[in-house]
Amino acid sequence: MVYACGLIGKTLEYSVSPVIFRTFCEEAGVEGDYCRVELPTEEAFRDFVKCGLIEGPFVGFNVTIPYKEAAYALSNVHGSDAERTGAVNTLSIENGKLRGDNTDVFGFVRSAQEHLIDAARNVALVVGAGGAARAVLAALEELGFTRALVLNRSLERAVRMTKELAHRLKLPIETVADEAAVRELCEAGTLDVLVNATPVGMKGGAPGMPVSESILDLVSPHGLVVDLIYNPPETNLLRNARRRSIKNLNGVGMLVWQAARSFEIWTGILPDTKRALQRVNEVLA
Ligand code: NAP
């Protein structure tokens, strides 16, 4: 069998997902290939899933910005992490039905767990309220966090997400209007994890930092700063965390682990991730 898979989203110029998929095929000894398909509208997204996957030759798709919530709505059956987040990044066909999974949750858990100490899993600040933020919040619940704050450019979207996730997750989540509100809720050194789930700092995207540098004062000495961005490998946020000797992590690990779980959904094989991690780091260096 040849596993024909692909990534669908709006702008995919910098995606390294084909490199990861091809490395997994070599590792697992299966034949397959992976293409990137840029689609300009939600209607084009739905049409492509119909003719490419439901009626067509593809085995599965990864879904990225901005179609993860549309992919959830389109799927007939959902995996548990898709239910917990209301977002889908992996589509497949199961018993003739379109199945939606969210493997970003697994990706975040696998990449972050070894960098978090057990005693420092209380308060988290997540910046962003899109598909990735939902996956991070579900992952933080799984990692044992007890409270999460969400800060987003558009307050309305953050409030909507928080309300929806209150029905899906047990993790208490509070929306904060601005950085002043974060400072009111957290004293210096009390944040256990800060996660950037926005594209701010991404190559070719909005420059700068997703939060002011002074927000890093709130992070605990045992804490962790995570940027889901992997290109560039060190964003301004991570550089500033490193300069303050705060542990920090980019999005490469999450990217490779979510891809491994998607690969398992399509082929039945969870591949070894070492070589894919190495290749992605080489490509991005
Ligand atoms: P999304 O659904 O489009 O959401 C983007 C979020 O970022 C929204 O909350 C948006 O705020 C905010 N945002 C966008 N541009 C901004 C700006 N200029 N200033 C401040 N906030 C801004 O995207 P997503 O799927 O959640 O992805 C978010 C990031 O995570 C992307 O960089 C993506 O590449 C990364 N990611 C990485 C992995 C990985 O495996 N490493 C996996 C998934 C995602 P508004 O609501 O105000 O528009």
Side-chain angles (χ1 to χ4, degrees), residues 29-149:
V30 302
E31 218 180 315
D33 209 354
Y34 191 95
C35 62
R36 289 179 291 196
V37 184
E38 292 191 350
L39 298 167
T41 62
E42 219 173 285
E43 194 186 353
F45 163 77
R46 282 193 298 271
D47 286 349
F48 190 76
V49 171
K50 186 166 182 279
C51 61
L53 187 57
I54 299 170
E55 296 166 1
F58 283 90
V59 169
F61 290 136
N62 281 130
V63 180
T64 189
I65 304 172
Y67 301 125
K68 288 184 186 178
E69 287 166 55
Y72 177 87
L74 194 61
S75 310
N76 310 115
V77 278
H78 299 116
S80 61
D81 284 340
E83 284 299 2
R84 293 172 69 226
T85 54
V88 158
N89 77 328
T90 304
L91 292 169
S92 58
I93 299 295
E94 184 182 71
N95 303 324
K97 289 188 169 158
L98 185 66
R99 178 184 166 105
D101 282 283
N102 189 314
T103 69
D104 285 334
V105 180
F106 175 82
F108 188 88
V109 169
R110 286 302 296 258
S111 79
Q113 62 187 2
E114 65 193 89
H115 302 277
L116 292 163
I117 58 169
D118 289 345
R121 299 193 185 194
N122 295 309
V123 188
L125 172 64
V126 177
V127 187
R134 286 165 179 257
V136 168
L137 288 161
L140 290 171
E141 175 178 275
E142 220 165 299
L143 287 162
F145 278 78
T146 54
R147 183 184 177 203
L149 309 178

Side-chain angles (χ1 to χ4, degrees), residues 65 68 129-132 152-154 157 197-200 228 251 254-255:
I65 304 172
K68 288 184 186 178
N152 190 48
R153 177 176 62 179
S154 139
R157 185 170 179 191
T198 79
V200 180
L228 301 194
M254 177 177 174
L255 179 77

